[in-house]
Structures are given as structure tokens and as C-alpha cells.
């Protein structure tokens, strides 16, 4: 009988208190495994609705925008965990506003959470991932594939993370680890009410128009990607694949589409 992939694994999830991270917790808690769950407020990480009797949960406080908090989390994990089979690099923040209206503080805060924090965290846990020949799965966005209007800071921070992790993937070809980037579409999470407006204040926007994926749907895809070390850049639907291909074949046409589709987003910020 084939062993269930998630049995006896050690899984690390950042951003585990809500949204996709919380959905991953719910999906994985039914297996006998260790889940290392990180969030800015570890006390907000919920108890899963269904949990295997042999599942072990570790709740760890970690603010990715704070290097000392990230290092504390790395130290805590390294002292107690021998290996990491899957690292779900999930936590992130969005920022909305025109390029000419975004404050430098917004760029700095967005990069702190979406780039510098994850890079520091992944770098710190890399020996544990390498020991397990594990997989690093990053929740990203189609906005990382091309500079999206009204999302300059967000797109830039995610694109930078893509480049860094692609470098890691190539450098690690002989280590047996996986490095995957999953560009998720609009998802039903609190991202638009917890991000940054152009002036650095808390973003308060209505959910994106059109069809959105549920956090559970996204978590299911992330779980499947984690099983495949050959996965590199994963897009969900036709809109993601369209942007992925058009950036190479007809960027001028792509920019016209983005201008028209997102005009309402960037004209008012």
C-alpha cells in the first residue's frame, strides 16, 4: 500500500492565522504530521475543525516585516525541529496605489513583508529543508509576472521574490529540493482589508469584482504542488496563463488590456 504523502511529514506554514494559510492548516491537520504554524499573532491561529489524534501543532509568533522576529522564529524552529519536508511560504501583504502616489514607506513595508522577510526565513530554514530533500512552495500572484497598474509596490516585491527563488532553485539542483512559485488568482481572503493604501494607511477596499477562488480551493492546489518537486511556475486559470504568455509574445497588447481592465483601480488612487 502506498504511503500517504503527508503522513509523518513536518510542514511549516507562514500566515497560518487566516486566508490561505488557515485553509492549509485545515487541510493538513487531518494527517498524522507536525505542523509549524506562524503568524504575527500566534494566538490567532485557530484550532482546526478536524484533527488527527497524532497531529502535532506548533504555534510560533513571526512578523515577517521584522528581521529580529524572523530570526527568533528561525531559532525556535531550528532548536526543536530536525527537518522540514514542506515549507509553505504563504504570508504576504498587498499595496494599492499609482506609482506617482505611493509613498516610499509603502514600498519599504511591502518589500519587508513580501521579499526581505521571506528571503530571511527561507534562508534560515534551508538546512532543514535540505536535510529532508523537501519542497519550498511560495504563494504568489499573477501580479508578479508583469508590472500591474495600481500595484507597483506589490508587483515589484513579488517579482523580486520570484527572481531570488528562481536563483535558489538553480543553485540547488544537486540538493534534491523543490522550489515552486504558485501564482494564485483573485481569492476570497482579507488581503484587501489588511494591505496598504498609497499613503501607508490600512487599505479598505471591496473584494475584487468577478469570480474568486476560495481559500480552500487554493490550498488544495498548493498541496498538490508540494508533492511535485518538478513544479516551477504554476498558474491557476486562463487569465494567469494569458498574462504569462502575453508578456513574451505581445507586451504592448497586454498593457492595453491591463490599462482597460484595471483603469478604475489606478485612476482613483
Amino acid at each position: 500500500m502506498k504511503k500517504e504523502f503527508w503522513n509523518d511529514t513536518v510542514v511549516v506554514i507562514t500566515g497560518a492565522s487566516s486566508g490561505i494559510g488557515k485553509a492549509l492548516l485545515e487541510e493538513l491537520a487531518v494527517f498524522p504530521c507536525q505542523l509549524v504554524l506562524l503568524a504575527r499573532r500566534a494566538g490567532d491561529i485557530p484550532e482546526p475543525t478536524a484533527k488527527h489524534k497524532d497531529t502535532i501543532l506548533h504555534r510560533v509568533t513571526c512578523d515577517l516585516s521584522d528581521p529580529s522576529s524572523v530570526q527568533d522564529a528561525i531559532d525556535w524552529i531550528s532548536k526543536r525541529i530536525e527537518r522540514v519536508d514542506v515549507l509553505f511560504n504563504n504570508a504576504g501583504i498587498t499595496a494599492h496605489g499609482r506609482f506617482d502616489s505611493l509613498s516610499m514607506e509603502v514600498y519599504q513595508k511591502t518589500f519587508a513583508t513580501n521579499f526581505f522577510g521571506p528571503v530571511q526565513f527561507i534562508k534560515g530554514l534551508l538546512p532543514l529543508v535540505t536535510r529532508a530533500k523537501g519542497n519550498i512552495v511560495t504563494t504568489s500572484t499573477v501580479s508578479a509576472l508583469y508590472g500591474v497598474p495600481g500595484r507597483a509596490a506589490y508587483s515589484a516585491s513579488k517579482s523580486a521574490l520570484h527572481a531570488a527563488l528562481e536563483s535558489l532553485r538553480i543553485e540547488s539542483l544537486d540538493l534534491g529540493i523543490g522550489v515552486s512559485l504558485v501564482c494564485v488568482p483573485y481569492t476570497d481572503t482579507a488581503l484587501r482589508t489588511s494591505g496598504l493604501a498609497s499613503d501607508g494607511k490600512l487599505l479598505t477596499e471591496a473584494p475584487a469584482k468577478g469570480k474568486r477562488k476560495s481559500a480552500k480551493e487554493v490550498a488544495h492546489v498548493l498541496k498538490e504542488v508540494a508533492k511535485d518537486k518538478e513544479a516551477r511556475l504554476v498558474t491557476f486559470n486562463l487569465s494567469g496563463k494569458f498574462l504569462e504568455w502575453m508578456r513574451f509574445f505581445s507586451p504592448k497588447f497586454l498593457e492595453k488590456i491591463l490599462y482597460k481592465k484595471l483603469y478604475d483601480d489606478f485612476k482613483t488612487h
Side-chain angles (χ1 to χ4, degrees):
M1 181 182 293
K2 185 178 180 181
K3 179 190 172 210
E4 165 58 48
F5 177 85
W6 297 104
N7 288 356
D8 304 318
T9 56
V10 180
V11 182
V12 176
I13 306 172
T14 67
S17 62
S18 63
I20 297 167
K22 179 182 175 183
L24 280 168
L25 162 59
E26 292 285 351
E27 291 271 314
L28 295 174
V30 299
F31 299 104
C33 61
Q34 288 194 66
L35 300 178
V36 184
L37 310 166
L38 293 93
R40 284 182 298 169
R41 292 177 292 275
D44 291 346
I45 299 172
E47 189 69 15
T49 54
K51 179 183 168 186
H52 193 281
K53 64 181 180 63
D54 294 324
T55 298
I56 300 172
L57 304 182
H58 306 280
R59 292 176 173 86
V60 184
T61 297
C62 181
D63 181 352
L64 283 174
S65 68
D66 180 355
S68 62
S69 178
V70 175
Q71 189 58 53
D72 286 345
I74 292 169
D75 292 343
W76 192 97
I77 294 169
S78 299
K79 288 176 182 177
R80 294 165 176 81
I81 303 297
E82 294 184 353
R83 72 180 198 278
V84 172
D85 296 289
V86 179
L87 167 54
F88 285 109
N89 175 44
N90 173 72
I93 191 172
T94 192
H96 294 187
R98 290 175 58 97
F99 179 91
D100 55 8
S101 69
L102 284 166
S103 69
M104 289 309 299
E105 180 187 16
V106 170
Y107 277 101
Q108 290 159 356
K109 285 184 176 180
T110 306
F111 267 79
T113 300
N114 291 351
F115 179 75
F116 290 112
V119 166
Q120 180 186 357
F121 188 66
I122 292 169
K123 186 173 182 289
L125 292 190
L126 193 57
L128 299 183
V129 177
T130 301
R131 184 175 298 166
K133 296 187 183 300
N135 203 349
I136 299 167
V137 181
T138 294
T139 304
S140 189
T141 169
V142 294
S143 298
L145 302 178
Y146 206 88
V148 174
R151 307 286 188 274
Y154 182 55
S155 285
S157 64
K158 289 292 191 176
S159 294
L161 185 61
H162 274 218
L165 293 181
E166 286 164 352
S167 295
L168 171 62
R169 182 193 301 131
I170 298 168
E171 294 166 359
S172 304
L173 285 174
D174 60 344
L175 298 180
I177 69 173
V179 181
S180 309
L181 297 156
V182 185
C183 296
V184 306
Y186 286 132
T187 305
D188 191 12
T189 68
L191 196 65
R192 286 193 172 213
T193 57
S194 60
L196 299 173
S198 59
D199 58 2
K201 294 180 181 178
L202 191 66
L203 187 67
T204 54
E205 287 189 6
K209 297 177 182 178
K211 189 175 181 181
R212 287 171 286 154
K213 295 288 185 181
S214 69
K216 184 175 181 178
E217 287 177 300
V218 174
H220 180 74
V221 172
L222 292 171
K223 278 177 57 188
E224 293 306 305
V225 171
K227 297 177 183 179
D228 181 10
K229 291 181 187 175
E230 296 300 314
R232 288 169 173 78
L233 181 65
V234 179
T235 52
F236 267 66
N237 52 20
L238 288 176
S239 62
K241 295 185 183 303
F242 175 80
L243 197 151
E244 182 182 357
W245 284 94
M246 292 307 293
R247 63 178 178 157
F248 294 115
F249 293 114
S250 185
K252 184 176 180 179
F253 177 70
L254 174 60
E255 289 171 6
K256 288 181 178 180
I257 295 293
L258 291 173
Y259 180 90
K260 183 176 180 180
K261 183 176 181 180
L262 297 174
Y263 181 75
D264 287 341
D265 281 350
F266 68 83
K267 74 172 181 178
T268 57
H269 291 294

